[in-house]
Amino acid sequence: MFEVRTDLAVEENERVQKQNASTHGISVHEEEYEGGSIRITTVRIETENAVRIMGKPKGTYITLEAPELAEETDGYHQNVSEKLAELLCRLIPEGKNGRSILVAGLGNRSVTPDALGPRVADQLCITRHILNEYGTLAYGNAGVQSLSAIVPGVMAQTGMETREILAGVVRQVKPEYLIVIDALAARSLKRLCRTIQISDTGISPGSGVGNHRHSITEQTLGIPVIAVGIPTVVEAATIIQDFMSECMSELSERDCLSHLLSPQLNQMFVTTKDIDAQIRQLSYTVSEGINRAFCGE
């Protein structure tokens, strides 16, 4: 039986609940904002048993679900940006001397569904060079933090692992925190381009589409790594599974799926027809959240 991939901890928790598996070591907290139009689910994986069940590292996974995120509604996107800024500040507390943050926009700029990270980096308010030269007086706002950014590309473009590039930059720049932005894969169509996941566990680039690269974590880089991602693709098999789950019994679904799913289909990922517009809009929303959190905007 095939397994549909997902990068979202909230979807793995739903799978565990559906299978009536042990939830020892997994805590879940849900909140609603803006009259229920924004839903935040915090999943904490606290034990080795939970790591085994969920298939994800220990840590905190915050999922911001916004059903209207795919729509062009400026006020709604502003509300999402403000909530994202709050969540980032929750995971990255301010020290006595402020915060020094490096943002890495992961992904391939030339592949639209994978261009979220580079597009976010393009729209950040970069402050590190100004603060190093003139201090906070340059902005007239003591709340402005040191923010720098890099777009490391992908191995096919550079011949280097993303982690290798970031390790060198971290050694030279010496940020206190690293925020990595990446496109994710979801299991559910309803979360495509409508969900933001923030976690303090780092990331394994490409894992959602079966292209595992070296992980980018606090253990591998020596500084805390916050991962921010939005699912922009789903596995093609998800579409068939969703349809058959509604129309057939579990036994019939299993039998039919084994005949319908060819190896080629199980390796195919799909996205929305307007993904170019979605990436443009979502990258602005995420960049605004980061700018609000650390640049006083």
Side-chain angles (χ1 to χ4, degrees), residues 1 18 244-245 248-257:
M1 186 65 176
K18 186 176 181 180
M244 297 189 67
S245 295
M248 297 183 176
S249 68
E250 183 179 351
L251 180 60
S252 298
E253 176 188 341
R254 185 178 296 111
D255 291 340
C256 291
L257 280 173

Side-chain angles (χ1 to χ4, degrees), residues 106-209:
L106 307 187
N108 189 339
R109 189 188 297 274
S110 301
V111 179
T112 305
D114 197 33
L116 177 69
R119 296 283 184 87
V120 169
D122 289 345
Q123 301 174 78
L124 293 177
C125 177
I126 302 303
T127 62
R128 179 178 179 270
H129 58 307
I130 302 296
L131 292 175
N132 285 350
E133 186 72 22
Y134 303 107
T136 56
L137 291 177
Y139 292 97
N141 183 349
V144 175
Q145 312 294 304
S146 175
L147 192 67
S148 53
I150 184 172
V151 179
V154 294
M155 181 177 283
Q157 298 169 326
T158 66
M160 295 177 282
E161 285 277 358
T162 300
R163 189 180 73 185
E164 294 175 327
I165 297 173
L166 293 181
V169 174
V170 167
R171 281 196 302 270
Q172 183 67 31
V173 176
K174 296 180 174 60
E176 295 175 300
Y177 295 91
L178 172 65
I179 299 177
V180 292
I181 315 294
D182 201 11
L184 307 178
R187 178 178 290 138
S188 172
L189 288 169
K190 69 179 182 180
R191 291 193 170 97
L192 192 65
C193 299
R194 293 175 173 85
T195 301
I196 303 175
Q197 177 174 270
I198 310 104
S199 71
D200 60 4
T201 60
I203 194 170
S204 295
S207 60
V209 295

